[in-house]
Amino acid sequence: MTDKTGTVYLIGAGPGDPGLLTIKAKECIEHADVVVYDYLASPFLLDYAKKDARIIYVGKKGGDHTLSQDKINLLLVDKAKQGLDVARLKGGDPFVFGRGGEEAQMLLSHGVPYEVIPGVTSAIAAPAYAGIPVTHRDHTSFVSFITGHEDPTKKDTSMQWDVFAKSNATLVFLMGVKNLENIVKNLVKHGKPSDTPVALVRWGTTARQQTVTGTLKTIVNRVKEAKLTSPAIIVIGHVVSLRDELSWFDKKPLFGKRIVITRARAQASDLVSKLSKLGALCIEIPTIQIAPPEDTAPLKESIKNIKDYDWLIFTSVNGVKYFFDTFFDMGKDVRALGHLKFACIGPVTKERLKDYGIISDILPETYRAESVIDAFSTVGIKNKKVLLPRAKLARTILPEELTKMGAQVNEVAAYETRLNADGKEELISLLGKNEIDAITFTSSSTVSNFISLLESKDAKELLKGIITASIGPITSDTARSFDIEPDIEAKEYTIQGLVDSLLTYYESKK
Ligand code: SAH
């Protein structure tokens, strides 16, 4: 126990889209010693936490509480009394049906300091992402946020059905899906016209967003037909009719497409963020893990003798990263590389190199080994000493061709890729249940590792109806060697190229 009591931050984590977190909330998560979150808070936000922060999931989905509210309270107090700062993440806004008020009162009574960081509430954001403004001067001048959770058989109800029914307010119900029929009945009974427009928006602001619209008369059946369940916002009022004109999020080109990402987690963020921006739901099942090579001696030796080399060639971002990690660990700085010429195989690798203050002398026209060879044929590499730090067991064509051109090539392992089997069960289950639209392969090893994860199951059979997208011809050839013919092959062999090809593919299907 320390003398100092920590602070509890009651943080609005926003409605689901990770981009809707406030800057202040992000800063709090970054500094917290303990992060407590429930099922409505997007797990992406946990990436902001410190490496050694304790992350605690307290559940709370409908009735099935992982931890009761009392236990959550105790937990918050206990951690704060240990002198730890606690980020308590709550879906949407903490003070809008989030029990944030109760948690604040409880903290106060225990003498624990707290701060409240408001969030973007789903009550406004879910309708907004469905193209429904909760107010509009032509339709309504006010809006009510109402709990849809209240027990319908409760006698002393605080629900003023007559007021709701007679006003022209936009009515926004939270936690109301299970009670929808009841809500509709009460409103109609108290005189709300049965042609009043209604929308339900489930998992608003996320790639899983689903919207069902109708009127007070039709909505119950439509929701049943669509099998829509919680969490959803119910919006009732004339503003709902604006959706026809104003919907935008569900019109994104890859909206709702469930796309599996097989590359290593550390490298996936660029692809994930590009696809997410286009509306896709990315399912990350990394098939590869990237790690330093088992034997680092050859790389170290080459760095020790770096003055003997003329060229340094990088074929991947990982090559750059792991080369420089070792280089700096050995106490060197970039002045030791001043005499060298550099070549990179692709634009992203070139950008990564630039992060270290070095501009590549050569960038081939297309992004594969064969092109690098073309590029060197104009530069002249005879009798030059070339260092090629790259993946263990990479393709042999580049060193072979450079050697043929008269270069002395030293190829060293800067890193190695290993099979990552953590997502095996999830992958097999998703494939079996037909819950995937597309799968992306960003290197040959993502393909071969994918096949390993399926064990001896028939990959071709499991991939039926799923679009396979490959980053380039080498990866496609590897896929073909396993009897998988890619539906899509990127024109430019980069992540952006792969994204563009997916877009073109889906647009042509419209
Ligand atoms: N404090 C939260 C609300 C918590 S109550 C907020 O401000 O958003 C839980 C209810 O919020 C759910 O039953 C559902 O009605 C609504 N909700 C939360 N996130 C949602 C989302 N992404 N899409 C639709 N409804 C959501």
Side-chain angles (χ1 to χ4, degrees):
M1 285 264 177
T2 63
D3 295 342
K4 187 188 150 273
T5 302
T7 301
V8 175
Y9 297 88
L10 299 171
I11 301 176
D17 178 343
L20 294 177
L21 188 76
T22 66
I23 292 168
K24 189 160 179 183
K26 176 171 173 267
E27 283 169 3
C28 270
I29 302 169
E30 283 165 352
H31 292 118
D33 305 305
V34 182
V35 179
V36 178
Y37 76 109
D38 58 39
Y39 94 114
L40 284 175
S42 165
F44 287 112
L45 308 181
L46 303 176
D47 293 344
Y48 295 131
K50 286 194 287 203
K51 268 210 188 89
D52 57 349
R54 262 203 72 193
I55 312 272
I56 304 173
Y57 177 69
V58 293
K60 242 191 172 185
K61 189 173 174 179
D64 85 32
H65 291 199
T66 304
L67 221 63
S68 69
Q69 187 66 42
D70 284 346
K71 289 220 171 98
I72 297 174
N73 291 349
L74 277 179
L75 177 80
L76 299 179
V77 171
D78 185 49
K79 295 293 169 201
K81 295 266 173 183
Q82 289 172 29
L84 303 171
D85 285 333
V86 182
R88 164 68 169 126
L89 292 182
K90 290 176 154 289
D93 179 274
F95 277 11
V96 178
F97 298 119
R99 299 215 194 181
E102 286 150 73
E103 283 177 20
Q105 285 171 318
M106 180 280 305
L107 293 167
L108 186 68
S109 73
H110 283 86
V112 173
Y114 65 87
E115 287 186 26
V116 182
I117 297 162
V120 175
T121 178
S122 63
I124 294 173
Y129 271 52
I132 304 168
V134 291
T135 72
H136 187 292
R137 283 190 302 167
D138 297 341
H139 296 271
T140 179
S141 45
F142 76 116
V143 51
S144 300
F145 301 126
I146 308 164
T147 170
H149 192 53
E150 195 172 278
D151 180 355
T153 57
K154 193 168 143 189
K155 273 231 172 81
D156 326 314
T157 174
S158 58
M159 302 291 270
Q160 298 180 290
W161 292 110
D162 54 334
V163 178
F164 302 152
K166 289 196 181 84
S167 85
N168 83 336
T170 303
L171 306 177
V172 179
F173 286 88
L174 292 90
M175 305 174 281
V177 182
K178 276 202 184 126
N179 255 335
L180 178 68
E181 198 164 348
N182 218 6
I183 292 167
V184 167
K185 261 192 204 150
N186 274 315
L187 289 172
V188 174
K189 190 169 107 191
H190 288 86
K192 194 127 193 120
S194 62
D195 62 355
T196 310
V198 184
L200 274 84
V201 187
R202 177 173 199 250
W203 282 122
T205 80
T206 74
R208 295 154 77 187
Q209 177 169 307
Q210 186 189 357
T211 306
V212 175
T213 55
T215 60
L216 282 176
K217 198 166 161 191
T218 61
I219 195 71
V220 172
N221 275 334
R222 291 204 179 166
V223 165
K224 264 187 205 145
E225 275 164 26
K227 298 200 173 81
L228 185 140
T229 54
S230 115
I233 292 290
I234 306 171
V235 197
I236 303 176
H238 287 287
V239 287
V240 170
S241 61
L242 290 164
R243 171 174 159 77
D244 290 340
E245 188 189 337
L246 297 182
S247 78
W248 58 277
F249 184 61
D250 13 20
K251 289 197 178 132
K252 290 198 169 227
L254 298 182
F255 177 75
K257 295 277 178 283
R258 298 155 302 178
I259 303 180
V260 172
I261 313 293
T262 53
R263 56 179 354 204
R265 195 176 294 283
Q267 283 188 295
S269 63
D270 188 30
L271 179 58
V272 169
S273 104
K274 287 192 160 92
L275 291 173
S276 305
K277 279 194 187 121
L278 295 165
L281 173 63
C282 294
I283 306 163
E284 283 186 63
I285 303 183
T287 58
I288 319 188
Q289 228 171 335
I290 293 164
E294 230 163 84
D295 181 8
T296 55
L299 177 63
K300 285 187 175 148
E301 187 64 22
S302 67
I303 290 175
K304 218 171 89 194
N305 301 324
I306 197 74
K307 60 176 186 325
D308 299 341
Y309 289 91
D310 304 296
W311 279 90
L312 189 44
I313 303 180
F314 290 113
T315 59
S316 71
V317 167
N318 287 317
V320 177
K321 177 189 173 332
Y322 283 93
F323 174 85
F324 278 102
D325 282 357
T326 310
F327 181 78
F328 292 136
D329 276 352
M330 289 169 70
K332 304 228 174 233
D333 71 31
V334 285
R335 285 172 297 181
L337 304 174
H339 64 290
L340 288 167
K341 288 212 172 256
F342 287 83
C344 287
I345 203 166
V348 183
T349 308
K350 179 185 140 203
E351 281 310 307
R352 189 77 174 101
L353 183 62
K354 212 169 159 194
D355 291 342
Y356 294 94
I358 296 166
I359 296 175
S360 179
D361 297 283
I362 288 191
L363 183 69
E365 271 179 19
T366 63
Y367 310 128
R368 50 190 189 139
E370 287 77 353
S371 258
V372 179
I373 295 160
D374 286 346
F376 272 113
S377 59
T378 61
V379 174
I381 196 148
K382 202 163 177 203
N383 296 327
K384 301 285 184 210
K385 273 195 93 176
V386 175
L387 180 60
L388 184 59
R390 56 182 196 156
K392 194 176 150 188
L393 303 177
R395 296 174 67 222
T396 53
I397 173 159
L398 184 58
E400 280 169 9
E401 289 299 317
L402 291 171
T403 307
K404 272 191 211 156
M405 292 161 83
Q408 297 171 41
V409 183
N410 185 18
E411 186 192 356
V412 292
Y415 63 97
E416 60 183 48
T417 61
R418 300 186 192 141
L419 178 72
N420 181 348
D422 292 351
K424 187 169 88 183
E425 261 101 60
E426 189 188 359
L427 179 69
I428 292 172
S429 135
L430 286 171
L431 286 169
K433 284 196 245 148
N434 237 335
E435 286 184 0
I436 296 174
D437 295 294
I439 183 161
T440 55
F441 295 113
T442 45
S443 64
S444 288
S445 42
T446 59
V447 181
S448 48
N449 286 2
F450 168 79
I451 298 291
S452 309
L453 292 190
L454 298 185
E455 288 166 342
S456 49
K457 294 185 182 57
D458 183 349
K460 201 171 174 181
E461 185 60 31
L462 281 173
L463 286 171
K464 253 196 194 138
I466 295 171
I467 303 303
T468 46
S470 143
I471 197 164
I474 311 278
T475 304
S476 301
D477 281 347
T478 308
R480 280 182 205 113
S481 75
F482 294 106
D483 200 17
I484 300 168
E485 180 59 38
D487 299 288
I488 298 173
E489 183 182 282
K491 291 224 162 51
E492 190 192 83
Y493 317 141
T494 61
I495 292 300
Q496 186 61 53
L498 180 63
V499 172
D500 291 343
S501 307
L502 274 160
L503 254 182
T504 312
Y505 177 86
Y506 279 113
E507 263 160 9
S508 74
K509 296 277 151 188
K510 267 187 190 151

